[in-house]
Amino acid sequence: MEASKLPGFLLRRGVKAAIVVLAIVICNFLLVHAAPGDPASVIAGQSGAADAVFLEQLRRQFGLDQPLYVQLWIYLKSVLSLDLGFSHRQQAPVAQLVLERLPATLLLTGAAFAFALAAGVTLGALAAQRVGRWADSVITVIALTFYATPLFWVGLMLVLIFSVWLEWLPSFGMSSVGVEMHGLEVVWDVAQHLLLPALTLGLFYLAVYARLTRATMLEVADQDFVKTARAKGVPEGRILRAHVLRNALLPVITFAGIQAGQLLGGSILVETVFAWPGIGRLAFEALLARDYPVLLGVFFCTSVMVVLFNLLTDMLYAIIDPRVEVAG
């Protein structure tokens, strides 16, 4: 993509992204309020007073006595001003709660994504190079196994093996409790806690990328430009890197960009299994407590990140293959 076209592209995509996020915010609001349960009853139950008068006071205080369209309009105005509301259950602003948990989720999903993409592309390339041999069969079996295995089962097995039996790695949390550490000790401790949840989340996507890389590399290897390069005597290693792998990465990057947002959804289950203090676990706790402002705040944050991931994917696509013209 030419540099002169970049500002117009970003402007068009920014407008479309804003419209998409607005539509998602409205849908999330309507879906959450369509769920069974009364937040006022939950709050009243936690305070130990659930009589009709107190419930009516709570509904009036939180605006729950207003028509749904009025509640939606009030919420949209708050979101446009970046005010995500207040959690009366945790007695803190929703934006503060989300920002406190967001770094942990980004660390987990970033590590899982990097591991899955790097290992998946490597295994897929090895399988494509040795198609029909025992290495190809082993990689294919491993990929299909991880693809078909539920995330929670993988997580529990990893905890059982590496935490319970071997006692090599911690089984839950993001850091050791009650231990004073400084500098590199903190980094090492977080890395140990990160390893199992990142593996659990990344193994499924590793299988997807490995299979996709293998298939696309075999397809590209049969193209005429690859046969021409071989006929000219270009070394096989250069053909693999500069022609086959580079062109095969285009669909992999497209798929990875789409799934980068899905990692945030998958992190809810993984964060719950490993007690990882991220926004996925925050959303799960908010759902159980009928804490609608927190739930909507998490949904808003994740939708914005998914839209940004898709925009970044389009830009990387054009950088890797200059022949691609990215339209608005």
Side-chain angles (χ1 to χ4, degrees), residues 1-2 5 317-318 321-328:
M1 180 169 53
E2 298 178 7
K5 297 181 180 180
Y317 202 94
D321 190 352
R323 299 170 301 173
V324 177
E325 287 289 338
V326 181

Side-chain angles (χ1 to χ4, degrees), residues 46 89-90 101 268 271-272 275-291 294-295:
Q46 292 173 349
R89 180 177 179 273
Q90 302 194 42
R101 300 286 192 101
I268 296 178
E271 289 179 5
T272 303
W276 188 264
I279 60 173
R281 189 177 174 207
L282 178 66
F284 180 74
E285 294 170 350
L287 179 63
L288 294 180
R290 298 291 192 274
D291 196 346
V294 173
L295 200 58

Side-chain angles (χ1 to χ4, degrees), residues 84 94-111 174 194 264 267 271 276-283 297-306 308-309:
L84 301 182
V94 173
Q96 176 185 331
L97 294 173
V98 172
L99 290 177
E100 287 175 353
R101 300 286 192 101
L102 185 58
T105 294
L106 291 179
L107 177 62
L108 172 60
T109 55
M174 187 176 174
L194 174 65
L264 297 170
S267 67
E271 289 179 5
W276 188 264
I279 60 173
R281 189 177 174 207
L282 178 66
V298 172
F299 288 164
F300 172 74
C301 179
T302 53
S303 63
V304 170
M305 287 192 290
V306 169
L308 291 177
F309 284 144

Side-chain angles (χ1 to χ4, degrees), residues 10 42 79 94 118 174 190 201-202 217 300 318 323:
L10 292 177
V42 175
V79 170
V94 173
M174 187 176 174
V190 173
L201 187 58
M217 285 188 66
F300 172 74
R323 299 170 301 173

